[in-house]
Amino acid sequence: MKAILFGCILALFAPLASTFAAKSDSCAHCHGTDGNSTASSYPSLAGQTREYLYRQMKAFKEGQRKNLMMSPAVAVLSEQDMQDLAEYFSGQTLIRSAAKTDPRTIEQGKKIAAEAQCVNCHQPNFKGLNEFPRVSRQKYPYIAKQLKDFRDGTRLSDVMAPSTKALTDEQIEALAQYLTSL
């Protein structure tokens, strides 16, 4: 009886899962089929918070955030598509980054994160919550670039701009290595 009930539940949710997977096909080239990017310059979406993913797609679509590849890619998405993709990728399992890191640099990054109180928004273990993204295990080059973009005003954020404005390139490297290593 349990096997039949389990089979019925799977049958109900299988079309939904395949719909999410089908919508994610256009994302796969850069972000991987399961949201785990193999390219260091593209973020992994697997395990990211649903709210953050949705808000970022919406920001690209509405022109609040600009990127030569992302802006046209999301332009064709409906509101439901963006919600479905956010749901799909947030439910995937993030694979640990294979970036080479230096233990001393990681320790320095850990201190910088503590001083900046990064966990206040990104939560303990940097797994994010709601509109605050998961930054743990993210690709090192991607984290470093985003931190520099926030610092330099290339990427706008009322929260991140003030938090990064005084960071040196060396501090950003340390912070990025620390977050990648988690």
Side-chain angles (χ1 to χ4, degrees):
M1 182 66 172
K2 287 182 183 178
I4 292 171
L5 180 60
F6 183 70
C8 290
I9 291 171
L10 281 178
L12 284 172
F13 288 104
L16 189 59
S18 67
T19 299
F20 292 157
K23 287 181 182 180
S24 73
D25 283 348
S26 63
C27 309
H29 179 70
C30 299
H31 301 288
T33 56
D34 63 352
N36 284 290
S37 173
T38 57
S40 62
S41 58
Y42 302 118
S44 288
L45 305 180
Q48 188 56 269
T49 68
R50 182 178 47 82
E51 180 71 18
Y52 179 76
L53 290 170
Y54 170 76
R55 284 180 177 225
Q56 295 311 300
M57 284 184 276
K58 193 169 177 91
F60 282 120
K61 185 174 178 110
E62 294 175 352
Q64 296 164 343
R65 188 170 173 199
K66 295 177 182 4
N67 180 280
L68 292 174
M69 294 178 73
M70 281 299 298
S71 297
V74 298
V76 299
L77 298 177
S78 70
E79 182 74 18
Q80 188 63 52
D81 290 339
M82 291 187 294
Q83 290 175 6
D84 290 348
L85 286 167
E87 183 72 29
Y88 173 74
F89 285 119
S90 69
Q92 301 304 301
T93 302
L94 180 64
I95 297 172
R96 184 180 296 277
S97 173
K100 293 182 182 179
T101 55
D102 174 59
R104 288 183 305 183
T105 305
I106 290 171
E107 192 58 37
Q108 180 186 7
K110 185 176 183 178
K111 288 177 185 173
I112 294 166
E115 290 168 5
Q117 300 177 353
C118 299
V119 296
N120 287 349
C121 295
H122 295 284
Q123 300 297 296
N125 297 322
F126 300 92
K127 292 186 178 183
L129 179 67
N130 299 323
E131 71 272 13
F132 296 104
R134 174 187 198 129
V135 291
S136 63
R137 297 185 181 179
Q138 194 54 266
K139 306 287 185 203
Y140 165 79
Y142 180 77
I143 293 174
K145 181 184 181 318
Q146 296 312 302
L147 289 171
K148 287 178 183 177
D149 286 352
F150 283 126
R151 179 194 64 193
D152 299 341
T154 307
R155 184 169 175 194
L156 304 176
S157 168
D158 292 341
V159 175
M160 288 301 297
S163 300
T164 57
K165 70 179 178 183
L167 292 177
T168 66
D169 285 348
E170 292 78 22
Q171 290 172 316
I172 286 175
E173 179 182 333
L175 193 50
Q177 279 199 35
Y178 169 60
L179 295 171
T180 296
S181 74
L182 297 174

